[in-house]
Amino acid sequence: DTVLTQSPALAVSPGERVTISCKASESVSTRMHWYQQKPGQQPKLLIYKASNLASGVPARFSGSGSGTDFTLTIDPVEADDTATYFCQQSWNGPTFGSGTKLEIK
Amino acid sequence: EVQLVESGGGLVQPGRSMKLSCAASGFTFSNYGMAWVRQAPTKGLEWVATISYDGSSTYYRDSVKGRFTISRDNAKSTLYLQMNSLRSEDTATYYCTRGPGITAYYFDYWGQGVMVTVSS
């Protein structure tokens, strides 16, 4: 299985720029997707195929990367962005990262 | 508006069976691949199974192969997950998800989830 590694947690202040990273154990081309999960809710698709904004997602969210290294950027961060962010690859059987918990100070 | 509503969860003993359902609305169900994704309590997400738009192709994670069966009824716009020989490690919230096209390897809409607890 392709293992996706994410840092466990981040804390930033409103208005700042935050980058959340995801590293794959092998190349997944651009088959990387990002989800936001707020407490008690189902996940929501933010970015698909590395850099494409999902429908209805604010332009403050963006994604980049290819191969093994990927980044989700939120700029500027808002208080409502408090959530856990998961990356997921679909190149080699779907697998998810363990999630990055984002705290807004 | 796309809606996915799961049902059928609850408490079940190890070794027993349970069938989950997912009622879809707000889109042409027969045009989309569907999948089940689960999340154990306070844990991350884990893909379980995918079915193509017409039901002709199915795919499973290794740990559920031979125990779980994904199926669909396009006339009823409903997705199913038959779970047999349940184990404690199957305890999780199960989400019904939609793929962006004829199959489902990433997931653009999610249901609210249904809890399955495997315990004696």
Side-chain angles (χ1 to χ4, degrees):
Chain A
D1 283 4
T2 303
V3 176
L4 303 180
T5 301
Q6 298 183 246
S7 53
L10 287 171
V12 298
S13 299
E16 291 185 348
R17 178 177 183 266
V18 64
T19 59
I20 297 171
S21 65
C22 177
K23 187 172 182 65
S25 60
E26 57 188 329
S27 176
V28 299
S29 183
T30 56
R31 298 299 195 265
M32 184 65 76
H33 323 286
W34 291 92
Y35 301 87
Q36 176 193 64
Q37 186 176 32
K38 296 182 178 180
Q41 295 186 18
Q42 68 270 48
K44 172 187 173 183
L45 179 67
L46 296 176
I47 300 288
Y48 64 96
K49 295 181 183 178
S51 60
N52 297 279
L53 199 64
S55 176
V57 175
R60 302 185 292 106
F61 293 87
S62 63
S64 63
S66 65
T68 61
D69 293 289
F70 297 85
T71 299
L72 172 71
T73 300
I74 312 172
D75 186 14
V77 163
E78 297 181 357
D80 187 52
D81 298 333
T82 296
T84 300
Y85 293 83
F86 294 94
C87 56
Q88 179 241 319
Q89 64 81 23
S90 60
W91 181 254
N92 177 23
T95 57
F96 290 86
S98 55
T100 297
K101 190 170 184 178
L102 180 64
E103 176 195 343
I104 311 302
K105 298 181 219 175
Chain B
E1 179 194 5
V2 172
Q3 285 201 316
L4 301 170
V5 180
E6 302 94 339
S7 60
L11 176 64
V12 61
Q13 293 180 328
R16 303 298 290 262
S17 298
M18 177 175 278
K19 187 172 186 176
L20 304 182
S21 300
C22 169
S25 61
F27 65 103
T28 303
F29 182 72
S30 59
N31 287 351
Y32 290 88
M34 301 291 293
W36 290 95
V37 176
R38 68 186 180 185
Q39 186 171 33
T42 69
K43 299 290 186 182
L45 298 162
E46 188 173 79
W47 167 76
V48 174
T50 286
I51 188 167
S52 61
Y53 72 107
D54 60 355
S56 62
S57 299
T58 57
Y59 310 90
Y60 300 91
R61 69 178 301 103
D62 285 347
S63 62
V64 308
K65 277 181 188 173
R67 299 190 299 124
F68 289 13
T69 302
I70 188 172
S71 62
R72 64 191 296 157
D73 184 334
N74 284 348
K76 295 182 178 179
S77 296
T78 302
L79 176 72
Y80 303 101
L81 184 67
Q82 176 67 48
M83 304 183 291
N84 299 332
S85 303
L86 281 161
R87 305 167 180 169
S88 58
E89 55 263 37
D90 297 318
T91 293
T93 296
Y94 284 73
Y95 293 102
C96 170
T97 70
R98 192 188 83 166
I102 61 173
T103 189
Y105 288 108
Y106 71 93
F107 320 108
D108 61 358
Y109 287 95
W110 297 61
Q112 83 287 352
V114 62
M115 184 68 199
V116 173
T117 302
V118 184
S119 175
S120 54

